[in-house]
Every structure is written in C-alpha cells, then in structure tokens.
Amino acid sequence: MPRLNKKFSVLVVVLLTVIFTVAWGINRPVTGDDQTEILWDTWGVPHIYGNNIENLFQGFGWAQAASHGNLILQLYGQARGKAAEYWGQDYLDSDKYVRTMGIPTRAQEWYEAQDPTMRRYLDSFAAGINRYASEHDDQIDDKVKVVLPVDGVDVLAHLQRVTHFNFVVNPQRLESLKSGESQAGSNGWAIAPSHSASGNAMLLANPHLPWSNFYLWYEAQLTAPGIDAYGAALVGMPMFSIAFNDHLGWTATVNTHRGWTAYQLTLADGGYEFDGQVRPFESETQTLKVKQENGTIKEQELVIRRSIHGAVVTQQEGNAIALRVVGLDQPQLMAQLWDMVRSRNRQEFETAVARLQLPMFTILYADRDGHILHIFNGQVAVRSQGDWQYWQGVVPGDTSETLWTRYHPYSDLPRILDPETGWLQNANDPPWTTTFPQVINPDDYPSYMAPQSMSFRAQRSAKMLMAENPISFEEMIAKKFSSRLELADRILDDLIAATRQSGDELANEAVNVLANWDRQANADSRGTVLFATWVQLMPNNNQFATSWNPQSPLTTPDSLADPVAAVKSLAEAAARVKSDYGRLDVPWGERARLQYGDVDLPGSGASGQLGSFQVIDFAPMDETKLRSVAGDSYIAAIEFSDPVKARVLTVYGNATQPGSGHIGDQLALYARHELRPVWRTRQDIEAHLESRTVF
C-alpha cells in the first residue's frame, strides 16, 4: 500500500506539472523560444508579438487572413491578372487593365530588386496568409482557394495595383482622361505644443475612403525587437500607411498631385510620330483565360502596345493615347514605410521620406519633441512647360519636349516645419493653405506643381484650428466630428433673403425650416435633407457671384450668382422632400443611414462638398433613404505625452470574414461620436483580451 501511494504521488506531481506547464504556456509572454503570439482584443484588433521581424510579418499575414482572408485572396488574384480565369467573365476588364499596365511582370522585377532582408519580410507576410488558410481551411471560401499559395510577388503586385493604378490613376478616371471626382480623400491635423492645451504635440489622422474592396483599413499593433508601433495598413499590405510609436506619428492625405500624363500619339506606318520620325511600338500578345459558367476555360488574346511614353490605353483611327505613370521605376516603397515606422525622431523620419518611394500623398507629422511637419510628398515629374491645368488634359506626344523623365528631389517639394501658427492642416487642398497666415508662396514653385484652390471642407478645417488657442485633446476629438456645413454658412443667408422677397409660398415654407436649422449634418438636424436636396438641384456652374480667390481663401466663393434660379430650385427641392416624407423638417438620420454588415443606424456627417469636416458619402438605398458607402474610415487622435495618449476607431470594424463578430461592431461608437481608447501595454491588452494565438 505505501508503494502504491508513492506511485500515486508521483503521478499527481507529473499531472500537476503538465497542467501548470500548459497553463503557463497559454498565459506567459513570448520568449526567444516562441515563434509568434497574437493577442486579440475585444474589438478584433491583433497585437502581434514576434521574437524576430520575420516572425512578426508572418504573424501580421496570419492575422490579416483571419480577419479578411477571402477578400485578400480575391485581391491578390486580381493583381495577378488571372481573376477571369479564376472567377469568370465579370473580371475580364480587371485582368485587361492589370495586364496592360504590366503589373504582374513589374511585380516580379520589383521583388528581385528588394534586398534579401525585405524579400524575407514579404515572403513571411505571404507565408502567414498561407499558414492561416492551411490551418483554417473551413474558414476560407472555396472559390478563392485557387489563389493559394501566395508569395512576396503577389504582395508587390497588390501594392502596385492599389497605389499606382488606383490612387495615382484609376480605371474610371482613365476612361474619361479627366481628373474627375474621387471618393478617396482625408483630413489631417498636426498641432504643436504652443497650440495644445497640454503643451504636447498632437496628431489627427482621418482618411476618407470607400468602405469596401482594397480601400479597407486593417488596424493592428506590431511589436518585436526594434519596433513597437500602432497603426493601420490597407488590407493585404504588410506595412502601415498611418502609424505612431512612442516617439512620433504621421498620417497621409490624398494630395493635389498629378502623377500620370495622357499623351496623344499620331499613328504612322504601323508606329507613331516622335521628334519628326516614326518609331515602332513595343508589342506583345498575352493570352487571357476566362472561366465559363460550365467550368470550362476559353482563351482570348490581348495585344499590348507600348510607346516611349508608356502603355497604349486607347486607339482611334489615326490616333492613340499612351499613359505615363510616376513611380514605376521606384520599387522600394515597402522599405521606406518600414523605415518610417521604426523612426525615433524627425531626422530619421525625414531621411526615410526623402527617398520618395511613395508616389503621392501629403504627410502630416508630429512627435514627442514637439515638432510638427507638413510635406507635399510625391514623385512630381519635372516638366519643361505648362501649368497645372495644361497637364490635366491630353498632352501632345509627338515631341520629346513634353516627355518627362525625372522627378523633383525632396528639397524641391513644398514643406513646412514648426510654423509660428502652431498648427498644420490638410483636407486635400494644395500645400499653400496648410496654415494661416500662409507660410509658403506658390509663386516660389513651378506652376505645374499644384493648383491654387481651397474647398469648403478645407476652409472649415482651417477655421476650426484658428478659432481655438490652445486646443485640448478632447476638443480635437470633438472637432473631428464637426458636421457644420461651411457651404450653408457661406450662402444660406442670401438664399433666405432672396426667398422671402420672392413671394413663393412653398419656397418660403422651406426657408422657415432652413432659418431654424442648426446648419449641421447631425442625425437629429432638421433642415439638412432640404438643404442637401437644394444643393443637388442647383446648377454647378456659376453658382456663386464671387469665385474662389487666393487673396481671400477663407471667405470665397461667396454670394448667389442667380437668386431667382436659387429660389426656384428651393421650391423644387421642397416639393420633392414633402412628396418623399410628407414634411420638410426631416431629421437627417431618417434619410442618411450608417449601414455596414447587419448594422443600421441614423447617420451623421455629409459630403465634403457641403463643407462638412465629418465626411460620410452616401449612395441611394431606396427612394427615401441613403446608405453610407465611403468617408470616415480609420480615425486616430494621438497626443505625444509620456506615455502616449491615443484614441482610435476603425469605423466599419476590423474584419470582413463571414461569421466574425467584428463586422460593423464599431459603427455604434461612430454614431455616438466616440473614439476607442488604444490598448498598447500588455497589461491593458490582457485586461481586454478576447483570444490568444500562439504558434
């Protein structure tokens, strides 16, 4: 019996040891023996810990696949130019665009141009995606599994398709060969200690992008030797585009940057005229495969022709249009972003940015040392002639005089460091209006560098910063959600006066609503529906008596050009609103809905064209309702105190995978005009832990 007890005691000790070891393995932090650990917080944000950088990137790929795996594989399939082969006829135009732009071939060339370390990082990110798909086969849609496995070349192909062939030039703009309107935009603020209530520099990141496809943001924290950064990457990307660490942070806004040129070619003898001679096209024929409904594959040929300018995108009798895009010879964007996120001070950060591998985007920066910085970043072509407007159209391609071949160096670009005003802003306006009084003079730069203009949203942005001195962290967040319509402030008094003089009964009924309106686009604002409908019915040309004037950038345009037509349009708007709703004082949230996944809430915010700083773009849902499709997407408010204080929001949630609880789960916070606290320390993360992944 005593012998049995001894054996039993030994068994108990062994079992307790095993239990303790397993429990410790689940709860202990990553050590040098571990590969990767991901702590998922209650908002579905991954906090990724790696004992080395390659493992960190593998964890990042794994996390993105867990949250967006189906979407990422679809996007990578499109970036290969094989989407029609995988999924059918609907993707044929996408494949033609990707192949004509040379993305698959160039991605391979870019991959080979990376140094061995960066190639390993890219491959590790792809390996993380593959690993998740292998270990969670049931979570990946069968139709996208055909893309697996993915590799570092796929990552760079996706990078090119998104950055160069959608942000720089997108297919829709290319069809019309005009700049047109884009749903891509942003607000950004950098506030110096002199303008901050706490005496610390602050940063507001607020990109406006569509709520779908490759425009979605993915929020995460990356921690490994040499890096502890928090930020957001566009889905499928291994690097943050907006980020902060303990020392500094930055955000980006779409800038007034013309990164492509359409050249008109005169065809002759099978080639095109150039400098008095006929040059032959470079030509190749590629085979496109298209999956049929019955599962069979049909093939068709795609003939791709290139001139000295670039790919030929259209051809008519006697003429063709060739496209030239900046940055296609600059393959180190991933390396630059990696250096930016690891920077510890302004000098290191600017050294990274000065490589100019990022083809466009204004950068706004702040740091713990109290510096704020604005950079009109981009690969700006050195042009021999013409102003901004000249390069918006189709340019003659028969002469080398119009063919740009070089970019302006970093030292040539508009830049502001630590202005006396104590603040910097950009709301997709040109660099000249970044702070007031203005610091940089457009006359000191080539006239093709950027236009002179300032939208109502940008004016609203600047006015809010000028009105408060100093501004607190809480006030910065509150102002982020300002939906006051600058256009209404500018023109509504004129409309009210003209209407009351008109004697139009219905228009006067409408004016009474507008006179009592708070001029905001909050969910409970009564008058926004009527005003937005009136703006929609008003002719865009000659709407204002006074056009925008660079000498009065914050007070123009102004006054109604045609008060009689404005009153007529108001009566028409009133009739339409009353027909749709039975009344004129409709709450904005009744018409404008915040929708994503299964979430449906009364909306606030409006188009930036109305002058709202809180931007939501809506699309028709039915005759009386609109649904949110773009606008505020990722929001980050950061104060560089010790420790750093930050609040964030990924408006539509941090996942798209079916069954995830994080599809649209942050939208209710947005509707309440709230941001979430950022959990960066291990103690805070574990206090809000949803799950843990160790591998």
Side-chain angles (χ1 to χ4, degrees):
M1 194 69 176
R3 187 173 181 181
L4 181 60
N5 288 338
K6 184 177 181 181
K7 287 184 176 180
F8 181 78
S9 299
V10 171
L11 179 60
V12 169
V13 170
V14 170
L15 287 173
L16 287 174
T17 301
V18 170
I19 292 170
F20 177 79
T21 301
V22 170
W24 173 242
I26 292 173
N27 292 288
R28 69 192 173 101
V30 170
T31 69
D33 297 326
D34 295 315
Q35 295 296 310
T36 307
E37 182 181 27
I38 305 175
L39 304 182
W40 297 88
D41 71 28
T42 50
W43 294 106
V45 175
H47 303 260
I48 306 165
Y49 295 83
N51 69 315
N52 60 55
I53 304 301
E54 290 177 45
N55 292 339
L56 181 71
F57 277 109
Q58 183 176 167
F60 198 24
W62 197 98
Q64 287 205 31
S67 304
H68 294 288
N70 291 345
L71 175 59
I72 291 171
L73 292 178
Q74 178 186 316
L75 295 175
Y76 282 15
Q78 288 182 264
R80 286 178 183 172
K82 293 185 175 182
E85 177 183 345
Y86 298 151
W87 305 304
Q89 182 77 27
D90 290 346
Y91 291 88
L92 184 57
D93 286 344
S94 171
D95 284 355
K96 287 181 177 179
Y97 182 65
V98 166
R99 300 283 193 97
T100 299
M101 296 302 122
I103 293 174
T105 300
R106 190 180 303 107
Q108 180 65 47
E109 294 171 353
W110 278 23
Y111 180 78
E112 294 169 0
Q114 307 301 308
D115 66 39
T117 299
M118 184 53 63
R119 280 200 296 271
R120 289 196 302 272
Y121 295 168
L122 297 174
D123 285 337
S124 293
F125 180 79
I129 297 172
N130 294 332
R131 180 168 181 172
Y132 178 86
S134 174
E135 295 175 353
H136 298 83
D137 180 77
D138 60 327
Q139 299 296 311
I140 300 296
D141 195 322
D142 287 341
K143 77 172 187 178
V144 297
K145 290 177 181 176
V146 66
V147 181
L148 293 165
V150 299
D151 58 26
V153 177
D154 290 314
V155 177
L156 293 176
H158 175 61
L159 169 70
Q160 281 186 36
R161 178 171 177 253
V162 173
T163 305
H164 296 80
F165 295 104
N166 276 278
F167 277 103
V168 176
V169 53
N170 65 43
Q172 291 74 34
R173 290 187 182 187
L174 196 55
E175 286 179 6
S176 63
L177 296 175
K178 296 179 180 179
S179 293
E181 293 295 331
S182 172
Q183 285 187 296
S186 301
N187 299 323
W189 286 358
I191 298 173
S194 63
H195 202 65
S196 166
S198 66
N200 299 313
M202 299 190 296
L203 183 71
L204 176 67
N206 181 208
H208 307 147
L209 293 177
W211 290 9
S212 60
N213 209 275
F214 48 65
Y215 293 107
L216 293 180
W217 291 102
Y218 190 64
E219 182 184 340
Q221 180 180 3
L222 302 179
T223 303
I227 181 172
D228 184 358
Y230 198 104
L234 290 174
V235 66
M237 301 288 191
M239 302 290 178
F240 289 148
S241 296
I242 296 172
F244 69 94
N245 57 38
D246 285 331
H247 309 280
L248 56 84
W250 82 91
T251 187
T253 65
V254 172
N255 52 353
T256 53
H257 171 264
R258 184 65 165 187
W260 59 280
T261 304
Y263 287 96
Q264 181 169 299
L265 308 180
T266 302
L267 304 180
D269 299 329
Y272 60 98
E273 295 180 359
F274 188 77
D275 282 348
Q277 299 180 343
V278 175
R279 294 179 65 105
F281 287 102
E282 294 180 15
S283 182
E284 67 170 308
T285 300
Q286 295 188 14
T287 300
L288 295 174
K289 297 181 179 181
V290 184
K291 187 176 183 179
Q292 307 300 299
E293 290 185 4
N294 63 5
T296 62
I297 298 291
K298 283 191 176 181
E299 295 183 348
Q300 62 175 267
E301 291 185 346
L302 174 66
V303 178
I304 302 170
R305 296 198 300 169
R306 300 182 184 87
S307 70
I308 193 173
H309 314 82
V312 174
V313 293
T314 64
Q315 182 174 331
Q316 297 177 342
E317 186 174 345
N319 292 289
I321 301 293
L323 182 70
R324 192 167 186 81
V325 180
V326 301
L328 303 185
D329 55 348
Q330 305 291 316
Q332 304 300 331
L333 174 53
M334 291 291 94
Q336 175 177 314
L337 289 172
W338 180 236
D339 288 343
M340 288 165 63
V341 80
R342 293 183 302 147
S343 297
R344 298 172 62 87
N345 54 54
R346 182 186 61 81
Q347 290 81 4
E348 291 181 5
F349 182 82
E350 283 205 79
T351 297
V353 174
R355 298 167 65 182
L356 294 181
Q357 298 296 296
L358 185 62
M360 60 178 288
F361 302 109
T362 290
I363 294 173
L364 290 163
Y365 163 101
D367 66 28
R368 182 177 284 180
D369 294 331
H371 297 298
I372 62 172
L373 174 69
H374 159 275
I375 305 163
F376 182 78
N377 166 78
Q379 293 153 351
V380 179
V382 177
R383 309 177 195 267
S384 62
Q385 62 189 69
D387 59 11
W388 171 263
Q389 194 59 41
Y390 174 82
W391 291 96
Q392 304 312 296
V394 179
V395 175
D398 60 353
T399 171
S400 55
E401 292 182 5
T402 61
L403 180 64
W404 50 263
T405 58
R406 298 182 295 113
Y407 305 127
H408 282 277
Y410 183 74
S411 58
D412 284 358
L413 303 180
R415 170 184 174 275
I416 303 174
L417 173 66
D418 298 334
E420 291 185 9
T421 60
W423 59 269
L424 297 164
Q425 74 81 35
N426 189 264
N428 310 122
D429 44 321
W432 330 119
T433 49
T434 296
T435 196
F436 288 93
Q438 291 174 246
V439 174
I440 48 179
N441 185 349
D443 293 338
D444 295 336
Y445 298 84
S447 58
Y448 58 71
M449 179 79 72
Q452 293 194 56
S453 63
M454 195 176 191
S455 69
F456 284 118
R457 173 165 57 91
Q459 292 181 37
R460 179 73 187 142
S461 173
K463 286 181 177 180
M464 286 194 292
L465 285 167
M466 295 170 74
E468 294 286 344
N469 190 11
I471 183 172
S472 71
F473 184 69
E474 298 295 338
E475 287 169 338
M476 182 174 72
I477 294 173
K479 289 177 182 297
K480 155 57 225 127
F481 286 102
S482 170
S483 65
R484 189 170 185 91
L485 304 186
E486 183 72 19
L487 175 59
D489 282 344
R490 190 65 51 82
I491 209 168
L492 189 56
D493 290 342
D494 288 350
L495 178 62
I496 291 172
T499 303
R500 286 181 171 159
Q501 293 174 7
S502 71
D504 187 299
E505 185 176 345
L506 183 57
N508 270 281
E509 184 182 350
V511 149
N512 289 336
V513 172
L514 293 177
N516 292 315
W517 171 45
D518 61 8
R519 301 188 181 188
Q520 300 183 65
N522 292 328
D524 58 355
S525 294
R526 297 176 181 268
T528 318
V529 173
L530 184 59
F531 183 76
T533 304
W534 172 73
V535 171
Q536 196 174 30
L537 293 173
M538 278 289 288
N540 289 327
N541 53 333
N542 300 321
Q543 187 174 358
F544 299 101
T546 303
S547 300
W548 185 80
N549 186 339
Q551 302 306 313
S552 306
L554 296 172
T555 57
T556 56
D558 195 17
S559 303
L560 288 170
D562 189 341
V564 174
V567 173
K568 181 180 178 181
S569 293
L570 180 59
E572 185 180 349
R576 183 176 297 186
V577 171
K578 185 169 281 192
S579 173
D580 287 343
Y581 301 97
R583 64 195 193 282
L584 295 179
D585 60 341
V586 186
W588 179 238
E590 184 175 326
R591 175 166 175 77
R593 307 299 297 179
L594 294 174
Q595 282 196 348
Y596 198 83
D598 296 329
V599 182
D600 184 350
L601 298 166
S604 60
S607 167
Q609 293 178 335
L610 298 178
S612 175
F613 193 69
Q614 181 192 5
V615 173
I616 293 288
D617 292 320
F618 296 94
M621 182 167 53
D622 56 36
E623 290 184 358
T624 63
K625 291 185 179 178
L626 306 171
R627 62 183 179 87
S628 51
V629 295
D632 284 347
S633 46
Y634 176 70
I635 306 168
I638 304 136
E639 181 178 315
F640 288 96
S641 51
D642 187 9
V644 172
K645 181 193 301 183
R647 294 187 197 164
V648 296
L649 199 69
T650 302
V651 175
Y652 34 65
N654 213 35
T656 56
Q657 280 300 91
S660 171
H662 300 295
I663 301 172
D665 64 333
Q666 299 181 47
L667 202 54
L669 291 176
Y670 182 78
R672 297 197 299 267
H673 295 180
E674 296 177 11
L675 302 184
R676 308 175 353 251
V678 170
W679 301 314
R680 290 183 65 216
T681 68
R682 192 175 190 93
Q683 181 179 0
D684 284 344
I685 297 163
E686 291 189 336
H688 302 89
L689 192 64
E690 181 175 84
S691 64
R692 186 189 309 261
T693 304
V694 179
F695 58 88

